[in-house]
Amino acid sequence: MPELPEVETVRRGLAPVMEGRRILSALARRPDLRWPLPERFAERLAGRRVAGLGRRAKYLLADLEPEGAAPAEVLVMHLGMSGSFRVEAGEDTHTPGAFHLPRGAAGPHDHVVLSLEGGAEVIYNDPRRFGAMLLVPRIALDEHPLFRELGPEPLGNAFDAVRLAAALAGRRTSLKAALLDQKVVAGLGNIYVCEALHRAGLSPERPAASLVTPAGRPTARARRLVETIGAVLEEAIAAGGSTLRDHARVDGTLGYFQHTFRAYDREGSACTMPGCHGTIARLVQGGRSTFYCATCQR
């Protein structure tokens, strides 16, 4: 499942094509993806101008201006496990993102096509159909079931050590499980939680509440973890996201952050933390693989 850096990479690739452009026509080649497409989906998109393209957690958000009697709405898009966007503009074809494995063949898995002002087409391809597209009134977006309980964005000003401590106080789960909870912090997934915990020197099995003082304040570990999460995500975005499994950048080139993984998917390799002579191990938490160094992560 794409995590925040992958989705942000796709957003940045699509923004120059979509922002400020009108959707001249839309084509939905099937009635559903993971969930049924909205009623009159293609009709409601046609003629709408994309005021901006944003991201919340792992969702892409196309802000649609009002058109006639149509209110301001947001086209909410999720890539699922195998979804991707392809941009076609004349002879120029590229994929916003960049994918490690070949994308689904054009045609059979091209489920949604947006024809934009200026001649470009944005095509959503999804072989497994675990992605989603919804239309939500802009005024109701924050209260939509997908968004109303999301935690702060890890790269935003609202996410700091104090906010993290408040979310972790009294929790009996492991630190890794807590960070995967989208109510604690939005957009993090297995890959970047493993990386952040390793770089912060924190055990994934450490009790989440151990980062909070008896008075409810963040410990030094909590402050270090917040800084590390931001650094790891920024580095991954700059590298174009990870190219594991199905992810790809918009321009079709491979991202390369996975070449700098220090823990994830490195079981049996020497730990790269300076002065550490440990080995990266793997354990299963909540059905997911965790990669960590028992020597330097405490």
Side-chain angles (χ1 to χ4, degrees), residues 255-291:
Y256 51 85
F257 186 75
Q258 80 275 16
H259 297 307
T260 65
F261 283 162
R262 298 184 188 180
Y264 188 82
D265 204 28
R266 295 190 66 246
E267 181 182 8
S269 300
C271 179
T272 59
M273 291 298 288
C276 180
H277 301 290
T279 300
I280 299 297
R282 173 184 172 273
L283 62 87
V284 176
Q285 292 177 289
R288 299 182 182 183
S289 293
T290 295
F291 299 91

Side-chain angles (χ1 to χ4, degrees), residues 4-6 9 12 155 192 195-196 199 227-242 249 255-262:
L4 186 154
E6 286 72 43
T9 298
R12 294 184 184 187
L155 295 177
Y192 297 107
E195 284 297 297
R199 297 187 189 198
E227 293 176 359
T228 304
I229 287 172
V232 168
L233 294 177
E234 291 283 10
E235 184 180 341
I237 292 170
S242 300
R249 290 198 309 196
Y256 51 85
F257 186 75
Q258 80 275 16
H259 297 307
T260 65
F261 283 162
R262 298 184 188 180

Side-chain angles (χ1 to χ4, degrees), residues 3-292:
E3 299 183 29
L4 186 154
E6 286 72 43
V7 179
E8 178 62 19
T9 298
V10 173
R11 186 200 69 78
R12 294 184 184 187
L14 286 175
V17 179
M18 296 184 68
E19 287 187 332
R21 302 295 177 86
R22 192 177 301 277
I23 301 172
L24 300 180
S25 65
L27 174 63
R29 291 182 170 145
R30 57 177 304 110
D32 60 357
L33 293 169
R34 180 178 181 183
W35 303 309
L37 291 173
E39 185 178 355
R40 299 172 33 251
F41 178 66
E43 179 184 341
R44 290 164 64 184
L45 289 177
R48 308 292 290 275
R49 187 178 300 278
V50 180
L53 189 65
R55 179 194 52 76
R56 179 71 169 107
K58 303 174 186 179
Y59 295 91
L60 291 168
L61 307 174
D63 195 358
L64 306 177
E65 293 181 352
E67 181 71 21
E73 292 182 298
V74 177
L75 172 59
V76 177
M77 299 168 282
H78 194 282
L79 295 172
M81 296 181 69
S82 64
S84 65
F85 287 95
R86 186 173 74 254
V87 176
E88 294 186 355
E91 296 181 357
D92 179 24
T93 298
H94 60 275
T95 302
F99 294 78
H100 187 56
L101 297 181
R103 305 286 59 211
H109 304 298
D110 288 348
H111 302 311
V112 176
V113 180
L114 305 179
S115 298
L116 302 175
E117 192 176 43
E121 286 190 335
V122 173
I123 301 159
Y124 179 69
N125 180 287
D126 192 350
R128 299 185 187 179
R129 300 202 309 274
F130 287 162
M133 290 194 183
L134 305 172
L135 281 169
V136 180
R138 185 190 299 167
I139 195 171
L141 185 67
D142 289 343
E143 293 304 313
H144 189 278
L146 291 176
F147 300 103
R148 65 186 173 207
E149 294 187 351
L150 284 178
E153 289 287 321
L155 295 177
N157 293 332
F159 183 63
D160 57 18
V162 173
R163 182 74 178 264
L164 179 62
L168 299 183
R171 292 184 69 110
R172 298 182 179 181
T173 60
S174 69
L175 181 55
K176 186 193 176 191
L179 293 175
L180 289 176
D181 184 348
Q182 298 298 293
K183 297 177 183 178
V184 172
V185 56
L188 291 183
N190 194 42
I191 294 174
Y192 297 107
V193 169
C194 286
E195 284 297 297
L197 288 175
H198 179 255
R199 297 187 189 198
L202 298 173
S203 170
E205 297 181 291
R206 166 184 284 275
S210 67
L211 269 62
V212 187
T213 70
R217 301 293 298 171
T219 65
R221 291 186 176 94
R223 290 191 289 272
R224 184 168 73 244
L225 178 58
V226 168
E227 293 176 359
T228 304
I229 287 172
V232 168
L233 294 177
E234 291 283 10
E235 184 180 341
I237 292 170
S242 300
T243 56
L244 299 177
R245 297 188 175 92
D246 294 319
H247 175 66
R249 290 198 309 196
V250 177
D251 61 5
T253 62
L254 291 178
Y256 51 85
F257 186 75
Q258 80 275 16
H259 297 307
T260 65
F261 283 162
R262 298 184 188 180
Y264 188 82
D265 204 28
R266 295 190 66 246
E267 181 182 8
S269 300
C271 179
T272 59
M273 291 298 288
C276 180
H277 301 290
T279 300
I280 299 297
R282 173 184 172 273
L283 62 87
V284 176
Q285 292 177 289
R288 299 182 182 183
S289 293
T290 295
F291 299 91
Y292 74 110

